[in-house]
Every structure is written in structure tokens, then in C-alpha cells.
Amino acid sequence: MKIYVDRNKHIIDQTYDYLKNIFNEINFLPIHLLKNAYPIKSSELFYSHYSSFTLSTDNDELFELLSSVEFNNEGIKIRGRKYIKGVRDLQRKLEFIISILNCNLVFNLRLKDSNKVISIRKEITDSCNCISCYFNKLDFHSVFSGLNVKPKKLKDRLVLASINYKLGNYVESARHYTVIANISHKNSRIRYAISQYNLSKLYVFIKNNYWKNNKELLEQLKSIDLDSVFQKSKTEHNKDLLNWILHTKFYSISKDNISKTVGKIRDHYFSQKKGGWSSNNYVVELINEYATIDTFLNSNYIIFDNFSEYQDLTNLFVEGLICSFSMNERQTTKIQFFDDWIIQRIVFHGMADEFIKYCDRYEVNSIKYQKTVYNGSSFIELIDNFLLNSDNLRPTYENFSEKQNRRFWINYNKYFSNLLILIAYCDLDCDKTKDISNKLLHYLQEEDYIYPLNMKYVRIFLSRKGQYIDKDVLFGFIQVEYKKEKFHNQNLIKTAIHEIKNQFKKVDLSNQIFSELLSYIFDDCTSCGGKHDADVMLDIYNSVDDIEIKKEIHYQIQKQLQNKFDSNLYYLSVMTNVIVLDQNLFKSYIDAIKPRENQRSFESIFSDVKDTRFHQVNNLLDICFKYDVDLTDSKFDDYRMLDVYYEWLFNMDKYDYSKFNPIWTYEYWTIHYIAQYRKHPLILKKVIEYLDKTKDNNLERIAYELFKNTNNNAYDT
């Protein structure tokens, strides 16, 4: 975008005029359009470079001016009278110049052909009370209330249009963007084009959510031709920007750059795993690139961040961050901590399961968090806003939301899941974790907004932070499961019991809680009418010292198995020593798990490959190995014939090991399987012979387990 600048003016006025003109209709400009014009560059031959939030310039006068800027609590000051003489409204213009550059992610300036770099970043500490900021702080009461305010200016309507879209009020958002397009049609071509682009994107959301009641609106939105909008709106000055927006180049270019940068970070990761070392700016470049598209979309109120493409881009961004963080401390250019900006991006656009996947992939157990913002939107403040400001949120939502708005609660649950996973992985101190656990418990006891599926993230939080949580709070999470119908069978009880035992060595159940648990598990549920898994009682049995409680659990389990046999409950009860192996129940178990002739697994149905492995049969063998059951008994003949794999397992002594496949050893293995393998040294010999020819990480683990606690030498067998 080329803007005429009067070079006879003072450098402050030149810069102010240029930025004022170029940002007349837009709040964030792609850096390739911002950097290649005067006064950022003086010579047509100079190529201004931008990387890692640093912009290069060959304009000595501009560099000298910004080198003289000082930041303090009173605002922006400038050293040297030559920058004051002849300039009106100096303070306002300086504030504007710095603000625009910072808002466009220019925090440093580098002088051409030198090592001179200056920082021009002004820290933001003021708290804003607009509905966009309330949204970014997860203060949804204030956001919904703000929707009721009539817009006085075009900017106010832009904010309303954007926030309604983010809340899932797609029809209301379309109404606002239609008004903006009509107002901007003649005198603001860029805003008109963006509005039309947004309306075309809203078509997809409205079609998928409201199509029955908005056919006329859908026809209107479907008829928008972005190529025609581009042709009608473009001028010599704005054509590059409109092409960037209307043809979605902002995404395709960012995706390409982020993919390449994450690829470089991965390469560095694998290099350092082998002892390598590297100094680079890859992670800063990654953050810069993602910040660019994120700020471009949000600052210009462009609809795109709810599409799957943006979700994929965010997942890639998060992978790059976690990969960089996981590197050893010798890699000094790795990311050292996650700050509030990163946390907020993950909360709004991340996916909890993807975050967990990348932490597992790169072996990250804990992430260092560092507070970096002081305007009410830090990580801890987001948590508090979400957990403490949700009272009566549903009535507020109903007052200000469209009736068919499903998106808000979907996103709300996503924010909840992302927050919990970040809390679970970030290195928050003990007191803060205790405080959060108290608030989370109260939230779950009082509110009814979270989908049952997302309770798995509560379990992850408990299992990772249980050592910091008070005992009475952990018991509170136990009660949440059986007292709130929607959370039944969500395994909070199991997780909390496990954490209480880990932290306090034993579980002291009160008579009231134990009585309520017995009723919840073994009686017909009075709230949901269903049955609940009794295997939770097995965890309690092995976690308490109270003999009377153990007796009662044993009695109830035995009674339930006799009344209605459950093969899974029987297997778990026997393996956890809650009940003993007796012939009557064992015979019932053998009969219950026998595969039927027409039985097919889910995988078999879709792959059209015959089943040769059966989970219940594997469990049967686990019991037999533990209790040293005679597997030559004729009652096991049907199982022996299922496959050569079972032919081997049911007769390891006399099996023809010329037919043996070593990978069978890790298809299903427990401590009892391993103990059985150790009795047959030929198995280890076959495993070692296989590993001599083929690398197999799983088989190496088996070999290690077989070598442990044994003096046998497989090669001597």
C-alpha cells in the first residue's frame, strides 16, 4: 500500500501521516505491506526485513527518533529538543506511532547494515472494560450484558458483530455485518470487503445451525461473490491487501511458514536427543508467525478462527511450542516458559487431547508458567473468572442468545477442558493448586454447564495434582460423582481414591460416604435409574484398612456375581484378591467368555479380517497364570483351537517353537504373563534371535523384563 508522505515535514509528522493514512480503515496490516514504503524504508533498493518481532529500516532519521523514545509510568517521553521543535501535539503523535507499531507486532527496530537494535515496546498494564476484553478474560456475564448496548460508532458495531460471532449468535452477527457493509459501501472499501467476506463465512455457520428459520438470509449470504467484491472494491492502493484477505492468503502463507518452522524445531529436537546443539530463533519465529495471523484476524474482526483449518494451525503451533520446551537445557534458544499470551491462545483455540498427545510425544511432564500480563487477563485470573463468575450464567445466556445457539456451550466446554489441562501440566505452586482445586470442586457442585465427557480432564487434573489437594477436597470430588446424576460413571471416585491413598497411605471412609457409595453401586440408582460399575469398590477394598468395610465389599461383590454374573467384574475381583478363585464362579467365567461362532469385533467388521485375538480369553489366561491353573485340562480345549497364538499360550511346555513368533510376547502382557514366560528360557532365546536381525522397541522391553531377576542365559538353552 503506497501512501504519499511529504518529506519536507518533520520525521514525527511524516511517520504519523503515513501510519494515520494507512490504518484509516484497518487495525492490523500484513507486515509485507507495512514495511516496504517510506518512511519505514528510504531507498527503493532497500529490502526491509521482519523477523522475531524486529523490523529493519534504512531510515537513519526514523531510527534516531525512536532511539530517543523513553517509556515510563507517565507515558512516552523523548530525549533531545530537535524532536520537539516545530511539532504540534508531540505527545499524542508519539503515542499513536508507538501504539500502531506495537499493535502490528513491531517491538524492535534494527538499523540497516549494523548491529544496532532498539526496543520500542510499551508494556500494557491498563485494564480495558470493553466486551472484547471481557470475552478474552472469560467474563461471560459482562460479555452478554454488553450485547444490550446500542452501538454509537462503526467501531462499536464491528465489536458487536465480532463478539456475537464468537458467542455463536451467528444471525445477529450477520445483521451487524450487513449494516456495516451498507455503511461502508461508498467510503470505506476495505471495511466493506471485510464485511462481505465475513458474511460469506457466516453462511456456513448459519446453514449448519439455523437453516430452517433463515432461508432468506442464507440465500442472501450464499449469493455473495468474493471475486466480484474484490473487483468492485480494489484500488491501486488497497488491491494487495484485499487480495490477501478475500483470497485467504493470510492463512495459506501462515500455514506454510508455521509448517516449515515447526519442521525445523522437530529437526532440532531429534538432533539434541543425540547430543547435538544449535542456536537459532525458530521458536521466536513460530510465535511471531502465529501472533501475526491471530492478531490480523482479531484486530480486523475477520471471521476465520472457528474453522477447522485454524484449529489445525493452532495444533501445529502448540506442537512446536511443546517440542521446543522439551529440549534439554543446553539448547539455550529453546522456549523457557509459557507466558500469558501463549496460555490464552491455547485456552481459546487449543484442543486438550492434542496438548496431552504432544506432551506424551515429547516426554513433557511439567511446563513452566510465568505471569507476563497485569491487565486482568493472566492465567490465574482466567481461571478465577471462569470458575467464580458462572453463577446464573444460563439465564444470562438465554436472555442474550439466539434460541438455536449451540456453539456457545460447545466453546465453553472447550475453554473448560483447555484450562484444566493447562492447570494440570503447568508448575503452579502448592498453595495456588489447593486454591484452584477448592474453586473447581465448588464449581462442579454448584454449576451444571460441563458435559460429562469433559470430566476426564478433571480426572487428569486430580491424578497430576492430587499430591497438593487436601483430603476433604478429594472426598468432595468423590461425592460429586454419585450426587450429580450427569457425572455418574465418570471415574472421579476411582481417581480420587487413588490420590488419597498415594498421599495419605490409606483411605479413611466415613460411615456416611461408605453407605452412600454402597447404595450408589449396588442398589438401583434413585436418580438415574441405572446400574453403576462395581469395580470402583475393588479400588476401595485395596485402599482401606477397616476390616468391616472390606467384609462388606467382599459380601456385596460375591452377592452381585451370584445374582447376575459379570465376567469383567469377576476378573477384576479375582485379580485384586477381593474374592478367591473358586470352582463354581470360575466355571461360570469360562462359559461366559467363550467366543461365539458369529462373534465379531468392531475392528473385524470394518477391516473384514477374521478375529484371532479375544480380550476376555487373554484375561482368562491372566487368571490361570496367577493361580497356576492346569491349562492342559480339557475344559480349555475350545480356547486352544482359536488360533496358533492361543495354542502356544495354553501349552507353552510342548509347543513347537519352530512356529513361534516372538512378537506374540507383547501382544498382551501383565506381570503374570512375564512370570510365565520366565519359566520357559526358550522364549527368551527366540526373542534375542529375533532382535539380532530386527529392531523392535516393544520386544526390547520384553527382553529386559525376561532378563530381570533371572540367572538364565538364553544362549545356553
Side-chain angles (χ1 to χ4, degrees):
M1 296 177 70
K2 294 184 178 180
I3 302 293
Y4 172 75
V5 176
D6 185 351
R7 301 195 183 195
N8 293 318
K9 288 185 175 183
H10 193 285
I11 185 61
I12 291 178
D13 287 320
Q14 291 180 32
T15 308
Y16 176 80
D17 290 347
Y18 169 68
L19 296 177
K20 190 73 175 176
N21 277 287
I22 205 169
F23 289 99
N24 182 42
E25 297 182 54
I26 199 164
N27 297 318
F28 185 95
L29 193 67
I31 195 67
H32 70 281
L33 299 179
L34 173 65
K35 68 181 183 177
N36 289 318
Y38 185 85
I40 303 299
K41 57 183 284 184
S42 295
S43 169
E44 289 294 328
L45 300 177
F46 174 69
Y47 176 78
S48 180
H49 180 71
Y50 175 77
S51 178
S52 303
F53 303 102
T54 301
L55 179 65
S56 63
T57 180
D58 65 339
N59 189 331
D60 294 327
E61 196 175 11
L62 176 64
F63 187 84
E64 188 179 351
L65 164 69
L66 296 179
S67 298
S68 302
V69 171
E70 292 181 340
F71 303 100
N72 55 42
N73 294 334
E74 298 176 0
I76 298 175
K77 302 294 182 183
I78 194 164
R79 300 186 304 270
R81 295 190 60 80
K82 65 179 180 178
Y83 296 115
I84 300 175
K85 188 177 180 180
V87 180
R88 293 183 178 180
D89 298 326
L90 172 68
Q91 190 68 30
R92 179 178 62 83
K93 290 176 180 176
L94 274 177
E95 293 273 2
F96 177 81
I97 291 169
I98 296 299
S99 175
I100 286 292
L101 291 175
N102 282 186
C103 288
N104 281 262
L105 304 180
V106 177
F107 300 135
N108 307 294
L109 210 64
R110 181 187 298 276
L111 185 61
K112 172 196 174 186
D113 298 333
S114 76
N115 293 323
K116 295 180 179 179
V117 179
I118 58 170
S119 172
I120 58 170
R121 184 168 191 171
K122 183 179 185 295
E123 297 296 332
I124 300 174
T125 57
D126 298 333
S127 181
C128 177
N129 292 323
C130 73
I131 58 173
S132 286
C133 289
Y134 281 133
F135 183 87
N136 291 332
K137 296 172 185 177
L138 298 177
D139 184 354
F140 295 115
H141 274 299
S142 298
V143 175
F144 281 120
S145 299
L147 297 179
N148 205 29
V149 178
K150 291 185 179 180
K152 297 179 181 179
K153 300 178 181 178
L154 186 62
K155 181 182 178 181
D156 298 332
R157 192 175 290 277
L158 278 166
V159 172
L160 282 173
S162 175
I163 291 298
N164 272 290
Y165 150 69
K166 291 183 178 183
L167 292 173
N169 291 337
Y170 299 129
V171 173
E172 183 67 7
S173 179
R175 185 181 72 81
H176 283 296
Y177 277 120
T178 300
V179 173
I180 293 166
N182 292 335
I183 294 173
S184 307
H185 183 63
K186 293 183 179 180
N187 58 10
S188 186
R189 296 189 179 193
I190 295 174
R191 279 185 179 150
Y192 168 74
I194 291 176
S195 298
Q196 292 293 90
Y197 176 88
N198 288 343
L199 287 167
S200 72
K201 296 301 178 185
L202 283 169
Y203 167 78
V204 177
F205 295 112
I206 296 173
K207 179 184 177 183
N208 291 337
N209 291 274
Y210 310 99
W211 66 274
K212 287 185 178 180
N213 300 326
N214 294 277
K215 292 184 178 180
E216 185 177 340
L217 175 60
L218 283 170
E219 288 300 320
Q220 174 191 332
L221 301 183
K222 187 178 181 180
S223 67
I224 295 174
D225 181 356
L226 292 181
D227 286 331
S228 176
V229 171
F230 174 69
Q231 294 300 326
K232 291 178 181 178
S233 304
K234 73 174 183 178
T235 66
E236 189 62 29
H237 295 303
N238 70 22
K239 63 181 182 181
D240 291 337
L241 175 60
L242 292 185
N243 185 39
W244 185 261
I245 297 170
L246 298 180
H247 297 146
T248 323
K249 287 191 173 183
F250 60 83
Y251 170 72
S252 57
I253 299 297
S254 290
K255 180 184 178 183
D256 185 52
N257 290 340
I258 287 175
S259 296
K260 289 178 180 177
T261 304
V262 172
K264 293 175 183 177
I265 293 173
R266 286 196 204 103
D267 289 344
H268 184 185
Y269 169 81
F270 288 113
S271 172
Q272 61 91 40
K273 291 279 281 186
K274 296 180 179 180
W277 181 86
S278 176
S279 177
N280 55 68
N281 285 329
Y282 297 153
V283 74
V284 181
E285 291 171 9
L286 173 65
I287 293 170
N288 197 168
E289 190 64 44
Y290 187 84
T292 298
I293 184 173
D294 182 73
T295 311
F296 177 74
L297 295 174
N298 283 291
S299 296
N300 297 320
Y301 310 108
I302 295 173
I303 289 177
F304 192 78
D305 60 354
N306 271 338
F307 286 97
S308 60
E309 293 94 333
Y310 196 76
Q311 182 67 76
D312 294 340
L313 193 70
T314 302
N315 291 341
L316 192 59
F317 169 64
V318 172
E319 180 185 2
L321 293 176
I322 293 174
C323 181
S324 176
F325 182 83
S326 71
M327 296 182 198
N328 64 60
E329 293 303 321
R330 289 183 60 245
Q331 317 303 316
T332 54
T333 53
K334 61 170 273 186
I335 187 171
Q336 300 295 328
F337 56 83
F338 280 23
D339 63 12
D340 287 307
W341 181 84
I342 290 173
I343 292 291
Q344 195 176 73
R345 303 286 77 71
I346 296 174
V347 169
F348 281 99
H349 303 299
M351 292 180 67
D353 288 338
E354 292 292 304
F355 188 92
I356 297 168
K357 179 179 78 175
Y358 296 133
C359 285
D360 289 344
R361 177 179 297 175
Y362 298 108
E363 300 174 333
V364 171
N365 187 55
S366 179
I367 289 174
K368 182 177 176 58
Y369 160 70
Q370 185 167 309
K371 182 176 180 177
T372 51
V373 301
Y374 299 88
N375 61 353
S377 58
S378 70
F379 183 25
I380 302 304
E381 287 162 320
L382 290 182
I383 297 168
D384 285 349
N385 285 339
F386 193 95
L387 297 179
L388 300 180
N389 296 338
S390 292
D391 292 350
N392 298 314
L393 181 58
R394 197 175 296 279
T396 305
Y397 154 83
E398 291 172 352
N399 286 336
F400 296 100
S401 283
E402 295 161 358
K403 290 183 178 180
Q404 292 169 288
N405 179 351
R406 297 174 298 168
R407 174 53 55 180
F408 173 73
W409 293 114
I410 293 172
N411 283 345
Y412 182 90
N413 273 263
K414 179 177 76 170
Y415 306 150
F416 173 82
S417 303
N418 290 337
L419 276 171
L420 274 195
I421 287 303
L422 286 165
I423 296 166
Y425 276 85
C426 285
D427 62 342
L428 303 176
D429 63 48
C430 176
D431 290 340
K432 182 52 64 180
T433 303
K434 284 180 182 290
D435 182 55
I436 291 171
S437 66
N438 292 338
K439 292 171 181 173
L440 175 62
L441 175 60
H442 179 77
Y443 173 85
L444 293 174
Q445 289 170 333
E446 299 298 324
E447 309 303 343
D448 194 33
Y449 311 132
I450 302 305
Y451 302 149
L453 181 66
N454 291 323
M455 292 305 287
K456 68 178 180 179
Y457 305 112
V458 178
R459 298 198 306 271
I460 293 172
F461 164 70
L462 293 179
S463 64
R464 291 184 61 83
K465 299 294 186 180
Q467 60 184 313
Y468 305 118
I469 302 175
D470 292 332
K471 185 191 293 187
D472 61 330
V473 176
L474 288 169
F475 276 117
F477 282 105
I478 290 174
Q479 292 174 296
V480 161
E481 175 172 334
Y482 65 74
K483 286 189 174 182
K484 295 196 77 167
E485 179 182 337
K486 68 183 296 185
F487 296 148
H488 286 183
N489 291 331
Q490 293 304 313
N491 290 326
L492 280 181
I493 297 172
K494 280 188 172 185
T495 305
I497 287 291
H498 179 76
E499 292 309 314
I500 293 170
K501 183 179 179 181
N502 277 352
Q503 188 178 166
F504 303 101
K505 307 305 179 186
K506 62 180 180 178
V507 177
D508 297 319
L509 282 177
S510 68
N511 290 334
Q512 178 186 345
I513 291 180
F514 182 59
S515 176
E516 290 171 345
L517 280 169
L518 285 176
S519 177
Y520 170 68
I521 297 296
F522 296 111
D523 297 339
D524 289 333
C525 185
T526 56
S527 56
C528 72
K531 287 284 188 181
H532 305 300
D533 293 335
D535 57 344
V536 67
M537 281 300 182
L538 310 180
D539 296 87
I540 295 174
Y541 181 93
N542 287 291
S543 301
V544 299
D545 289 340
D546 192 311
I547 300 299
E548 294 306 315
I549 289 180
K550 284 179 176 287
K551 286 182 178 179
E552 183 63 27
I553 293 174
H554 172 84
Y555 169 75
Q556 292 291 348
I557 294 289
Q558 195 90 11
K559 178 182 173 183
Q560 180 154 318
L561 287 170
Q562 289 169 349
N563 290 341
K564 186 176 181 181
F565 189 80
D566 181 327
S567 58
N568 186 59
L569 178 60
Y570 175 77
Y571 165 72
L572 293 173
S573 300
V574 169
M575 297 306 290
T576 54
N577 303 312
V578 175
I579 63 173
V580 296
L581 186 70
D582 69 82
Q583 291 306 311
N584 289 333
L585 285 177
F586 189 49
K587 183 180 184 305
S588 298
Y589 180 69
I590 293 173
D591 293 340
I593 67 167
K594 189 175 296 183
R596 300 181 301 275
E597 287 188 14
N598 61 346
Q599 179 177 327
R600 299 186 69 185
S601 67
F602 183 81
E603 294 84 355
S604 173
I605 292 171
F606 282 89
S607 65
D608 202 30
V609 176
K610 182 181 177 181
D611 285 314
T612 58
R613 301 294 184 269
F614 302 91
H615 181 70
Q616 292 278 32
V617 179
N618 296 337
N619 287 346
L620 168 63
L621 281 159
D622 204 18
I623 293 175
C624 293
F625 291 155
K626 176 177 179 177
Y627 290 96
D628 201 21
V629 175
D630 180 10
L631 293 176
T632 63
D633 193 295
S634 60
K635 63 176 172 281
F636 298 118
D637 287 348
D638 289 341
Y639 297 102
R640 241 187 301 276
M641 303 300 294
L642 290 172
D643 185 74
V644 289
Y645 171 69
Y646 291 113
E647 183 184 343
W648 163 62
L649 285 172
F650 277 95
N651 194 8
M652 290 188 197
D653 286 327
K654 297 181 180 179
Y655 185 74
D656 181 0
Y657 278 86
S658 65
K659 302 176 183 178
F660 177 68
N661 188 341
I663 67 172
W664 289 345
T665 57
Y666 64 74
E667 287 194 24
Y668 182 91
W669 59 286
T670 66
I671 58 172
H672 306 297
Y673 272 66
I674 293 296
Q676 198 70 16
Y677 297 163
R678 286 199 186 109
K679 296 177 182 178
H680 304 85
L682 190 54
I683 293 176
L684 178 57
K685 181 178 180 180
K686 290 292 184 181
V687 166
I688 292 173
E689 288 175 354
Y690 185 92
L691 288 172
D692 283 341
K693 300 174 183 178
T694 308
K695 182 175 177 58
D696 188 316
N697 292 334
N698 289 320
L699 208 53
E700 287 176 2
R701 290 179 62 201
I702 290 292
Y704 171 75
E705 292 294 334
L706 294 180
F707 264 122
K708 280 196 318 182
N709 304 322
T710 180
N711 295 319
N712 293 332
N713 188 324
Y715 285 108
D716 294 336
T717 304

